[in-house]
Amino acid sequence: MVLLTGLLVAGCQSQKQSNAELLASHDYRYQHPIVVSEAPETLDLPIGRNTRRLGGPVTDSIASFAMDSRRQGNGRVEILVPTGAANEAAVHAVTRDIRGALKQGGLSRSQISTRTYPSSDPSADAPIRLSYARMKATTGECGSWPKNIGGGITQNTNYQNFGCATQSNLAAMVENPSDLITPRSSTPGDQNRRAVVFEKYRKGETTASQYTEGVGAEVSE
């Protein structure tokens, strides 16, 4: 009897999950984590085979892309030029305009590099791609339904895809992905206001601001 009881206890203990495993099986933040890593930010420029100069709206977009690279990336932009495409002559003609627009966005000559990539279709007009590296927040793909979503109701557990869309939207909306890793430093307090509060405290006066009930916006009849 003692041996049988010991085997039952050992069997129960072997089936227990750790706290981390329990959280992973119930918390969508563990099932669909947001990963912060370096990834390329790109801008594709469609270039027609008869194009020889870039228009104002296009150069404005390129200059804005350059400013974003300084604010969000390392301030270095790479120009990827297609080779073997039908618009190869046009691509080489507008490359100088692209460099000029990037300089308008605040980049120096040393911060702009150029390399080529082969076109997959020689009869098509391949785009020029601008790229810079930046930190991005991403999640895995949503839409995984390996089990019936009603199968875990009796176990009080979430289905596999639960929370994936929320995590993906949060990763897409956050402006600075580093905020998901560590908070930003606090701004300094108002020294003038602090001095006023301390002076009132020394005098035994009320340190709070005066507020009169009923004073504020009025609705006209």
Side-chain angles (χ1 to χ4, degrees):
M1 180 65 68
V2 175
L3 178 60
L4 179 59
T5 304
L7 291 175
L8 291 175
V9 172
C12 292
Q13 290 179 347
S14 63
Q15 294 178 358
K16 287 184 177 180
Q17 290 180 305
S18 64
N19 291 335
E21 291 174 337
L22 288 173
L23 286 174
S25 61
H26 294 278
D27 195 335
Y28 67 91
R29 293 171 296 181
Y30 285 84
Q31 291 182 337
H32 308 285
I34 297 177
V35 179
V36 178
S37 59
E38 189 177 72
E41 184 75 17
T42 60
L43 174 64
D44 287 347
L45 303 174
I47 305 298
R49 63 191 66 184
N50 296 321
T51 303
R52 292 299 180 267
R53 295 294 301 272
L54 294 180
V58 178
T59 56
D60 291 342
S61 298
I62 297 173
S64 177
F65 187 80
M67 289 186 286
D68 290 341
S69 72
R70 298 172 56 196
R71 182 171 57 91
Q72 300 176 347
N74 57 5
R76 295 181 178 274
V77 173
E78 188 176 45
I79 306 175
L80 284 78
V81 180
T83 59
N87 61 340
E88 187 169 357
V91 164
H92 290 292
V94 301
T95 301
R96 178 178 296 181
D97 292 345
I98 294 176
R99 285 182 168 272
L102 291 174
K103 291 178 180 178
Q104 290 179 6
L107 300 184
S108 62
R109 183 176 181 180
S110 61
Q111 293 175 309
I112 305 172
S113 60
T114 305
R115 67 182 178 92
T116 61
Y117 74 92
S119 175
S120 58
D121 187 357
S123 63
D125 294 339
I128 295 178
R129 171 166 292 183
L130 307 182
S131 175
Y132 68 86
R134 59 164 296 190
M135 299 300 294
K136 283 188 175 182
T138 58
T139 60
E141 294 185 2
C142 298
S144 177
W145 307 98
K147 298 180 181 179
N148 188 343
I149 62 175
I153 293 179
T154 57
Q155 301 175 357
N156 196 25
T157 58
N158 297 324
Y159 51 89
Q160 178 66 28
N161 203 51
F162 178 80
C164 184
T166 301
Q167 292 289 85
S168 298
N169 289 335
L170 176 60
M173 290 187 297
V174 63
E175 181 183 10
N176 187 357
S178 299
D179 292 339
L180 299 175
I181 301 176
T182 180
R184 303 184 190 183
S185 58
S186 301
T187 56
D190 188 344
Q191 300 293 335
N192 295 331
R193 178 59 185 168
R194 182 182 300 175
V196 171
V197 172
F198 282 162
E199 185 64 24
K200 288 185 176 182
Y201 178 78
R202 293 189 185 99
K203 295 179 179 180
E205 300 176 358
T206 302
T207 58
S209 301
Q210 296 294 329
Y211 175 75
T212 304
E213 188 71 26
V215 176
E218 296 181 358
V219 179
S220 59
E221 297 181 357

